[in-house]
Amino acid sequence: MTANALRGAAGVALALALAAAGPARAGEAAKEAGDERPRDAPAEPRPNLEPTPPDLDFDLLGRPAKQADPRVQRQLERRRLMLRLHPAIGLATWAALAATTVVGQLDFDDRFRGGGDTGRYHAWHRGLAYGTSALFLSTALLGVLAPKPLAEPVRLDTALLHKLAMGAATAGMVTQIVLGIVARRRAGSLSERDLAAVHQGVGYATLGAMTIGVTVLLF
Ligand code: HEM
Ligand code: HEM
């Protein structure tokens, strides 16, 4: 036998010996480790060590702290509508007041400044004056009665200037109606012209106050 053949035979013998001893060794090792289970018992379920996928069903905004009060909601809607109508009718009121003032001046010149006292502007001025007063009242009510469900601190801003100017214009309108009617009733008396002159001055002041009230918001 050659040396190579001898080495091959020894290798085969060693392999057979290890194979025979293998299971016995494994059993012993398990016993040493304290595992008393029979070898052919079903394996225990292994803990799942796979990372669980993240739950993507999250809420970015979170839950609202509390539900919106339906009463406040309704008031806000009414406020939005009223404050949309308010400036629309308000601009018409502003234009109407300008027209009343122009025709009032024509009436004044006709009666007191040598216009011949024809009275041709008088009915126009009266009609425009009452139409403007109705528009003014509607605009004012829409602004003043708009609900305010959310408290706001009083600040010196354009909205406050608007309210102050429109408050002055409101006083002017009331004065105008009273002075105009009183002057007319005193037609032919000495005080008529003076009353009409004061009426004229307050008329321009009223238009000026309203113009300021509009300007601070629009421009
Ligand atoms: C007729 C005289 C007027 C009065 C008595 C008046 C009164 C008011 C009042 C009290 C408010 C505050 C409403 C609130 O915040 O609850 C307001 C707001 C407002 N008014 Fe007038 N207003 C008048 C004319 C006008 C006119 C002619 C315009 C036209 C541009 C106008 C445009 C506005 C606007 C846009 C607001 C909302 C302002 C804001 O809060 O930012 N108003 N008005
Ligand atoms: C600068 C602007 C104005 C001028 C120059 C003016 C001028 C006049 C004149 C000359 C009269 C006749 C008085 C008389 O016959 O003795 C009159 C009457 C009258 N005005 Fe004016 N006016 C002006 C603005 C206004 C305004 C803004 C109003 C208010 C809405 C108004 C309301 C009236 C009324 C109600 C009368 C009485 C009408 C009647 O009963 O026949 N006026 N105005």
Side-chain angles (χ1 to χ4, degrees):
M1 232 189 247
T2 62
N4 270 350
L6 272 173
R7 233 180 276 140
V12 169
L14 183 61
L16 285 172
L18 280 175
R25 285 254 178 90
E28 277 163 27
K31 271 190 190 144
E32 275 165 26
D35 184 359
E36 297 299 328
R37 271 188 301 117
R39 215 183 315 144
D40 48 357
E44 278 185 10
R46 286 182 169 189
N48 185 7
L49 298 178
E50 290 288 316
T52 44
D55 182 8
L56 293 178
D57 187 19
F58 49 78
D59 187 357
L60 268 181
L61 300 176
R63 284 167 195 272
K66 52 179 178 175
Q67 291 287 324
D69 183 345
R71 199 175 57 90
V72 171
Q73 209 61 20
R74 269 198 308 278
Q75 286 189 340
L76 281 175
E77 272 161 32
R78 207 163 74 233
R79 175 179 173 79
R80 206 170 299 135
L81 175 69
M82 289 175 81
L83 287 188
R84 207 181 303 146
L85 291 173
H86 171 77
I89 302 181
L91 286 177
T93 309
W94 187 34
L97 182 61
T100 305
T101 306
V102 169
V103 177
Q105 185 60 58
L106 292 174
D107 195 16
F108 188 90
D109 292 347
D110 177 61
R111 182 156 174 81
F112 304 108
R113 283 194 182 159
D117 196 13
T118 63
R120 58 185 154 164
Y121 299 109
H122 196 76
W124 281 106
H125 180 59
R126 185 171 44 196
L128 278 168
Y130 289 129
T132 303
S133 303
L135 279 172
F136 194 98
L137 183 66
S138 312
T139 306
L141 288 179
L142 283 168
V144 173
L145 298 183
K148 268 193 171 180
L150 309 173
E152 285 168 31
V154 177
R155 281 193 305 261
L156 180 64
D157 55 8
T158 50
L160 179 63
L161 290 178
H162 170 76
K163 287 179 235 175
L164 290 174
M166 290 310 180
T170 306
M173 286 298 284
V174 174
T175 310
Q176 280 302 84
I177 294 169
V178 174
L179 279 178
I181 293 171
V182 172
R184 189 74 199 150
R185 285 209 181 141
R186 297 208 181 159
S189 74
L190 281 179
S191 59
E192 182 197 352
R193 194 183 194 284
D194 295 339
L195 285 168
V198 176
H199 176 83
Q200 178 191 34
V202 176
Y204 283 116
T206 306
L207 181 62
M210 195 162 187
T211 304
I212 291 171
V214 171
T215 309
V216 291
L217 285 188
L218 291 191
F219 309 107

